[in-house]
Amino acid sequence: MPEQMVDTRVWGKARGLARRYPLICHLLDTAAVAGALWDRALTESARTRVAGVLGLEEAQVRRLVSLWGAMLKTCGSAGGTRRAYLPDDPVTVIE
């Protein structure tokens, strides 16, 4: 297998899909949704206040919210007790 920057054999979603969805794609989707929630669910004053409390610019807080959202939401998807991949069978579910 040629060297890749991202290992797409680890998957994050499969239920209801035609094929398994790589974990990295699931993480990026979740981060995008968290960022959109920051933009649309919070008022300008709420975003300003959160940024002020953290001592950061609003854009920095938005990136943190996106990162935290992706990490927290997807921890179970990446957990070794639930899912794993094996070199010969990259989508084995471990029950």
Side-chain angles (χ1 to χ4, degrees):
M1 176 170 137
E3 188 173 333
Q4 296 179 4
M5 296 289 288
V6 176
D7 188 350
T8 58
R9 296 175 298 169
V10 180
W11 53 279
K13 252 184 151 168
R15 189 178 328 151
L17 301 175
R19 61 184 190 166
R20 291 179 175 105
Y21 197 56
L23 180 61
I24 187 65
C25 297
H26 187 51
L27 285 165
L28 292 170
D29 289 346
T30 304
V33 169
L37 286 171
W38 169 263
D39 294 339
R40 295 187 178 118
L42 294 178
T43 64
E44 177 70 31
S45 62
R47 290 192 303 269
T48 301
R49 184 173 176 153
V50 171
V53 168
L54 294 175
L56 299 170
E57 298 291 324
E58 283 186 41
Q60 293 172 308
V61 179
R62 185 187 190 279
R63 287 192 295 270
L64 279 176
V65 165
S66 297
L67 175 67
W68 290 339
M71 286 174 30
L72 294 174
K73 157 67 175 81
T74 328
C75 281
S77 297
T81 59
R82 227 179 72 150
R83 256 178 226 161
Y85 72 87
L86 305 172
D88 295 334
D89 185 9
V91 290
T92 300
V93 177
I94 297 176
E95 302 280 347

